[in-house]
Amino acid sequence: MSTISSFDITFERAGSQPETCRLWTDPGHDNPRNLVANVNVSQQPPCGSWSLGKDDWQDGHLIRKEDSGRLYHALLTHYPFPGEAAPRPVHAAVKWMRGERAIEALRWEAKMYTGPLRRLQGKVVPVFYGFFSGRVENIEIGCIVLEWCPGNDWMTFGKPNDDELFLRMDAIRQLHEAGVKHGQLYDRRDSLRLLDGRHFLRAQDGTMRVVGFQKARMHECTGGLHERESLTACLDDKCRELCYAQVHWRRAVGGGLDETRWKPY
């Protein structure tokens, strides 16, 4: 029998009282323990790479725009069982959204993490701590809680090097072996963009994590380029998501990275 777990998140801001909100798991979604997180909003960097919508950090945690949200950096722990010491807090990412479509997209992302991506948690995708929803000041809110990846300020990085491109390619390969197509990774095979990096983050140990599975789909991979196949062979019978990653990596190790067009937008 499934149990309903809670998620308490406290927003701390300079010059005002902390505010705690409680959300809940959906029926049928098991979480091992109730969670508690602390977000110091005043310390969130005022950088567009951290915002999922267009709201300013100083506006607090309530999101005015429908189907938008924010990404918070939090300290996460579990309420201890009776007789146990409180678990050690860990850094976590809290993806906080409002609006029916946005919340349903989060539910789908949660199903990806707990379904086909379950064995890749902590290796290729972040550790998943749970999906929660509820009403906060009469606004329907949904959120997922994930492993925090400190190397996630992708807007500060320039064109990726061959090592970075290899890690991205290998991560995509493992996603496809698990039967999942991300759908928002590389836009083109003839150029690289800054936005290509927004779903490739680095965990605490420096390993790659792929994030953002709200538009992911189950996938039977048709394969990418063979070892001796031309870089121009990304045809309709190939898996384009994998093929594009291979093209960018092969071009880089072949000395052609400087010639690859770079679009910083």
Side-chain angles (χ1 to χ4, degrees):
M1 181 176 180
S2 64
T3 57
I4 305 298
S5 299
S6 65
F7 173 58
D8 290 344
I9 179 168
T10 299
F11 295 91
E12 295 185 357
R13 298 179 61 201
S16 62
Q17 291 294 321
E19 181 176 355
T20 299
C21 307
R22 173 165 287 187
L23 303 179
W24 306 88
T25 55
D26 286 349
H29 283 252
D30 288 319
N31 285 304
R33 297 188 178 190
N34 295 329
L35 301 178
V36 57
N38 183 278
V39 173
N40 193 322
V41 178
S42 63
Q43 292 183 1
Q44 300 295 332
C47 172
S49 64
W50 297 70
S51 179
L52 301 172
K54 295 183 178 180
D55 295 302
D56 193 281
W57 283 107
Q58 281 65 43
D59 290 339
H61 64 275
L62 291 181
I63 305 161
R64 294 189 301 271
K65 185 178 178 182
E66 195 73 4
D67 291 318
S68 62
R70 296 178 182 159
L71 182 65
Y72 291 112
H73 179 191
L75 279 177
L76 176 72
T77 188
H78 299 80
Y79 287 115
F81 287 132
E84 290 187 1
R88 184 177 181 179
V90 297
H91 290 273
V94 177
K95 201 171 181 180
W96 183 267
M97 308 289 283
R98 70 167 286 182
E100 183 178 352
R101 287 186 301 173
I103 294 172
E104 283 305 308
L106 280 187
R107 279 195 177 92
W108 176 254
E109 184 169 7
K111 289 180 180 178
M112 289 287 103
Y113 284 122
T114 58
L117 299 177
R118 190 180 192 93
R119 294 184 178 180
L120 297 183
Q121 287 188 36
K123 301 174 184 176
V124 178
V125 303
V127 175
F128 175 77
Y129 295 108
F131 167 81
F132 304 87
S133 62
R135 298 190 72 81
V136 177
E137 296 188 23
N138 211 33
I139 295 175
E140 195 69 28
I141 294 291
C143 79
I144 58 175
V145 186
L146 300 166
E147 170 190 12
W148 177 252
C149 299
N152 64 354
D153 193 3
W154 53 270
M155 292 187 72
T156 65
F157 301 132
K159 184 186 289 188
N161 58 27
D162 56 345
D163 290 336
E164 172 76 13
L165 291 170
F166 174 80
L167 291 175
R168 293 183 183 183
M169 178 186 67
D170 189 56
I172 293 172
R173 177 188 60 78
Q174 293 185 68
L175 293 180
H176 287 208
E177 288 179 352
V180 175
K181 179 181 180 180
H182 187 282
Q184 300 183 86
L185 298 179
Y186 285 112
D187 184 58
R188 301 179 63 86
R189 71 175 183 186
D190 60 352
S191 62
L192 288 164
R193 301 188 309 156
L194 177 68
L195 287 174
D196 292 337
R198 69 192 187 279
H199 295 119
F200 296 103
L201 310 181
R202 293 299 186 98
Q204 187 72 44
D205 62 0
T207 55
M208 181 68 68
R209 298 286 188 271
V210 184
V211 299
F213 290 91
Q214 292 168 264
K215 296 184 178 180
R217 292 293 178 264
M218 300 305 296
H219 176 62
E220 291 186 13
C221 190
T222 56
L225 295 172
H226 299 302
E227 184 176 353
R228 297 183 180 180
E229 208 160 18
S230 168
L231 297 183
T232 61
C234 284
L235 305 176
D236 289 341
D237 61 338
K238 302 288 184 183
C239 171
R240 293 199 175 191
E241 186 165 86
L242 178 58
C243 186
Y244 283 13
Q246 290 177 313
V247 165
H248 290 309
W249 175 67
R250 287 193 186 182
R251 189 175 287 132
V253 296
L257 186 60
D258 290 341
E259 286 74 43
T260 300
R261 285 187 294 170
W262 170 244
K263 297 183 177 181
Y265 53 83

